Amino acid sequence: SQQGEEDPQALSIQEGENATMNCSYKTSINNLQWYRQNSGRGLVHLILIRSNEREKHSGRLRVTLDTSKKSSSLLITASRAADTASYFCATGRGGATNKLIFGTGTLLAVQP
Amino acid sequence: GAGVSQSPSNKVTEKGKDVELRCDPISGHTALYWYRQRLGQGLEFLIYFQGNSAPDKSGLPSDRFSAERTGESVSTLTIQRTQQEDSAVYLCASSFAGQPQHFGDGTRLSIL
């Protein structure tokens, strides 16, 4: 079963706009990660936020985590056509294993 | 190698045949994961290897699925007596000591 549920399932925006994707999860976590998947390719790790962190930035990416609401959001600012991809959140319980449970993904389309 | 390598990239086979999928992880990565991704879905965890420890097989959907890994090198995922519901992309990932996972581009398996 999927731990995470992304919202929205699909998002279409114009180049230059911001894109916000949300992820909700059910059980306690050690960390939450966001991955990106271009069509026909594997996943690429974007950013990791730990359960004791509330916000993290990486370039045009901003991730927030609210453990009380069991939710996270990924904001992509000043989007580009090249940002078109599926975005997945994944929750981990930490440790050497850190087995991840992935959400169902948000398909982002950035129109040039 | 530079990244996780999977082969074949595509596999078409008849129902009832056995298939073997291969994953070459990044050199030095102690952890190796297999996932299944059905069309338009998120990733389902299948199996996890960590060094010489017993693998975590909790995600394997049936006894038709098995996987092996020799030391910290190549892994093979075998599906026996394939069924149409086995059609999916099978993704392999590797990581080092709880660090973010690096994914291959997957094997797209189609069962006729």
Side-chain angles (χ1 to χ4, degrees), chain A:
Chain A
S1 63
Q2 294 294 330
Q3 157 88 308
E5 296 285 338
E6 277 94 336
D7 164 50
Q9 289 187 324
L11 179 61
S12 182
I13 59 174
Q14 295 295 124
E15 210 165 23
E17 295 180 337
N18 295 343
T20 299
M21 289 161 269
N22 303 296
C23 167
S24 60
Y25 58 92
K26 298 175 183 174
T27 64
S28 63
I29 64 171
N30 171 275
N31 62 86
L32 186 144
Q33 304 179 33
W34 285 90
Y35 285 80
R36 163 199 170 121
Q37 184 180 36
N38 286 76
S39 181
R41 305 297 300 273
L43 279 71
V44 175
H45 180 259
L46 295 176
I47 196 165
L48 179 153
I49 187 166
R50 301 196 185 280
S51 59
N52 60 354
E53 297 176 306
R54 291 296 167 258
E55 187 171 313
K56 203 161 184 180
H57 296 253
S58 177
R60 294 185 295 113
L61 305 180
R62 173 181 167 240
V63 169
T64 62
L65 179 64
D66 186 336
T67 53
S68 66
K69 295 181 179 177
K70 291 186 168 57
S71 68
S72 173
S73 68
L74 171 67
L75 168 68
I76 304 174
T77 60
S79 63
R80 305 166 182 169
D83 294 329
T84 295
S86 291
Y87 292 82
F88 294 90
C89 69
T91 55
R93 292 199 170 182
T97 306
N98 200 35
K99 186 169 74 177
L100 297 178
I101 302 178
F102 283 83
T104 50
T106 292
L107 177 58
L108 173 66
V110 181
Q111 309 297 333

Side-chain angles (χ1 to χ4, degrees), chain B residues 1 6 9-10 12 35 38 40-41 43-44 46 48 56 62 70-73 83-86 94-96 104 107:
Chain B
Q6 291 189 245
S9 54
N10 286 283
V12 181
Y35 297 90
R38 291 197 164 110
Q41 302 292 314
L43 275 67
E44 301 173 67
L46 296 178
Y48 159 78
D56 177 348
S62 77
T70 306
E72 294 182 356
S73 62
Q83 304 293 315
Q84 288 187 329
E85 66 260 26
D86 299 334
S94 69
S95 71
F96 178 74
T107 293

Side-chain angles (χ1 to χ4, degrees), chain B residues 31-50:
Chain B
L32 187 147
Y33 308 78
W34 282 98
Y35 297 90
R36 178 170 69 181
Q37 185 177 30
R38 291 197 164 110
L39 186 65
Q41 302 292 314
L43 275 67
E44 301 173 67
F45 167 79
L46 296 178
I47 189 169
Y48 159 78
F49 295 91
Q50 171 67 46

Side-chain angles (χ1 to χ4, degrees), chain B residues 6-84:
Chain B
Q6 291 189 245
S7 61
S9 54
N10 286 283
K11 177 73 176 179
V12 181
T13 192
E14 293 180 346
K15 177 182 171 182
K17 300 284 189 184
D18 297 351
V19 296
E20 189 173 280
L21 313 179
R22 177 186 169 107
C23 173
D24 281 277
I26 292 173
S27 178
H29 279 190
T30 54
L32 187 147
Y33 308 78
W34 282 98
Y35 297 90
R36 178 170 69 181
Q37 185 177 30
R38 291 197 164 110
L39 186 65
Q41 302 292 314
L43 275 67
E44 301 173 67
F45 167 79
L46 296 178
I47 189 169
Y48 159 78
F49 295 91
Q50 171 67 46
N52 293 319
S53 301
D56 177 348
K57 304 179 181 180
S58 60
L60 294 179
S62 77
D63 58 8
R64 296 187 296 105
F65 288 72
S66 63
E68 293 183 347
R69 186 184 188 194
T70 306
E72 294 182 356
S73 62
V74 171
S75 175
T76 55
L77 175 69
T78 301
I79 309 173
Q80 296 178 307
R81 305 181 303 281
T82 53
Q83 304 293 315
Q84 288 187 329

